[in-house]
Amino acid sequence: MRETGLPSKASAQAAHEVQIGVGVASEVLRARQTYAALDLGTNNCRLLIARPDRRPRRRSNDCLRIVDAFSRIVRLGEGLGKSGRISEDAIVRTIAALEICREKMDARGVTRARLVATQACRGAANGEEFIERVHERTGLRLEIIDRETEARFAARGCGALADPAAESVLLFDIGGGSTELVWLTRARRGESGAYAFRAWTSLELGVVTLAEHFGGRSVSAETFAAMAHQTRETLAPFARRMASERRCPRFHLLGTSGTVTTLAGVHLGLERYDRWRVDGLWMSDEDATRAIMRLRAMNFEERVANGCIGPQRADLVLAGCAIFEAIRALFPAQRTRIADRGLREGMLIELMEADGAPMRSA
């Protein structure tokens, strides 16, 4: 096994954090620490490396200075719904991506990191076996987090984009194998400031699982309606729980996922995806409907050719749109704010807070 300098287990004090290197106890060195967050999902492997940054940023209240980033579609959960196991091909693809992450962390001198795996590893019969194999091959120790932790990280990561005048907000994160929803609310009516984590749910339903069940290349109106119907049925108990929650006129949705960022790119007519134009964008309910209709009107080849979709998302994006349609139907709102941020940013914020950095809250 290649030596990486990473311990095999974290200390009891920080059981799920990877401590890289030694001699970082002094205040000066703590201030210079470089942090990494890795999110291994059902569809994507994403790494973000950052340092604290308290300078005000445009429209988004960013508190992170990004040093490096990496994202690759690995489809770890491909075929998982049928076999119940992570396939060998998916393991090979994912380990290749994780080796790149390891190299980037080494090159950037990462001193503190949190590395998590979500739904595919939670649900696979060989999830723990896969985690051990990753450690043997790369030296990276992934932590399989539970659904509530995943929802909390998403809320921390993009909560700064919520309208500060809204009394409540519904955050949603459409993933490959699961979809998380978080109801954020003010502690006291009329106050601005941080939101409280009021309620949450996690659906065992995402773009990969839905597309594999219904098909994602050629999606008829009937197929799209069936996907949206299944999502509404799955989401209905949470909608009933939240029916009595107060919603002021500024209530809105806050979406973080490849689905909503893709929709935003299509809405803007971008020839190539541009995070700086998408992150923090407000879309009206009518904007969202038009963007979904544009996507539904494209055939598979047209989706492949679109610069905001491409070949790796072309068979998944309509499943994501069906999930979004179900959310909009059960939680009607006049607008949705788009976040090209989420789980990784939430992990970074919590790591930095643990070291005493004053970070903005959701």
Side-chain angles (χ1 to χ4, degrees):
M1 182 183 73
R2 181 166 64 91
E3 181 60 42
T4 66
L6 286 172
S8 59
K9 294 183 179 179
S11 67
Q13 183 179 357
H16 296 124
E17 295 174 6
V18 181
Q19 300 284 349
I20 306 172
V22 295
V24 294
S26 73
E27 289 295 330
V28 172
L29 289 180
R30 274 203 298 269
R32 295 176 181 173
Q33 285 199 107
T34 301
Y35 299 81
L38 187 147
D39 168 21
L40 178 60
T42 301
N43 198 44
N44 292 281
C45 175
R46 297 187 179 99
L47 172 73
L48 199 61
I49 301 174
R51 299 189 183 102
D53 189 351
R54 293 186 293 276
R55 294 175 297 173
R57 297 298 182 93
R58 56 186 275 283
R59 76 178 180 178
S60 59
N61 295 321
D62 282 348
C63 54
L64 306 173
R65 181 160 64 89
I66 306 304
V67 175
D68 204 348
F70 172 77
S71 180
R72 176 176 291 181
I73 294 177
V74 295
R75 300 207 174 199
L76 181 64
E78 188 173 58
L80 179 61
K82 294 180 179 179
S83 69
R85 297 179 62 84
I86 301 171
S87 71
E88 182 61 25
D89 287 346
I91 289 172
V92 170
R93 289 194 300 266
T94 303
I95 286 178
L98 290 169
E99 286 176 334
I100 295 172
C101 293
R102 169 78 269 186
E103 291 167 3
K104 284 184 171 289
M105 291 167 66
D106 288 343
R108 294 296 186 176
V110 169
T111 53
R112 293 256 285 157
R114 190 161 186 179
L115 322 172
V116 307
T118 57
Q119 180 59 29
C121 291
R122 280 196 299 258
N126 59 338
E128 292 288 352
E129 176 186 329
F130 166 73
I131 295 295
E132 289 303 318
R133 186 165 166 185
V134 166
H135 185 238
E136 290 171 3
R137 285 289 303 274
T138 69
L140 299 176
R141 175 64 73 181
L142 298 176
E143 169 201 354
I144 302 176
I145 58 173
D146 60 33
R147 298 172 187 277
E148 183 173 6
T149 301
E150 184 175 359
R152 189 188 80 238
F153 282 149
R156 290 304 311 274
C158 60
L161 288 176
D163 182 346
E167 291 183 8
S168 55
V169 173
L170 180 71
L171 164 72
F172 64 93
D173 183 358
I174 303 171
S178 66
T179 296
E180 279 67 48
L181 295 98
V182 181
W183 190 278
L184 301 172
T185 187
R186 298 291 182 201
R188 294 194 178 100
R189 187 187 297 269
E191 286 191 355
S192 61
Y195 283 98
F197 193 101
R198 175 71 179 84
W200 68 280
T201 192
S202 179
L203 315 179
E204 286 193 41
L205 183 151
V207 297
V208 173
T209 51
L210 210 56
E212 286 188 349
H213 181 74
F214 288 97
R217 291 175 65 94
S218 179
V219 180
S220 66
E222 292 75 18
T223 299
F224 187 86
M227 290 192 289
H229 175 74
Q230 180 172 324
T231 305
R232 286 195 303 273
E233 290 292 302
T234 307
L235 185 54
F238 183 69
R240 288 193 291 269
R241 279 176 57 200
M242 296 296 102
S244 62
E245 292 293 317
R246 67 176 186 261
R247 306 183 195 190
C248 74
R250 300 186 71 87
F251 170 78
H252 65 88
L253 306 179
L254 175 57
T256 168
S257 68
T259 295
V260 294
T261 56
T262 296
L263 278 172
V266 170
H267 163 66
L268 293 171
L270 301 180
E271 293 184 4
R272 182 185 330 185
Y273 183 77
D274 183 351
R275 180 188 186 272
W276 297 107
R277 293 188 64 184
V278 168
D279 185 48
L281 178 73
W282 286 103
M283 290 180 66
S284 70
D285 192 50
E286 293 77 14
D287 291 336
T289 297
R290 284 192 292 267
I292 290 172
M293 294 304 295
R294 281 188 63 185
L295 273 172
R296 291 181 60 187
M298 297 180 190
N299 60 32
F300 178 74
E301 289 72 23
E302 289 169 332
R303 297 197 301 271
V304 168
N306 186 284
C308 293
I309 305 171
Q312 294 183 310
R313 293 186 182 274
D315 62 337
L316 303 176
V317 67
L318 290 181
C321 289
I323 296 172
F324 186 29
E325 284 279 61
I327 293 170
R328 293 169 64 211
L330 291 175
F331 299 94
Q334 289 301 308
R335 56 197 179 133
T336 300
R337 198 165 202 193
I338 310 300
D340 188 339
R341 61 178 78 187
L343 202 67
R344 296 171 302 163
E345 287 82 358
M347 288 191 286
L348 288 169
I349 289 169
E350 291 201 359
L351 281 174
M352 293 174 186
E353 284 179 336
D355 285 346
M359 312 298 286
R360 293 178 178 86
S361 298

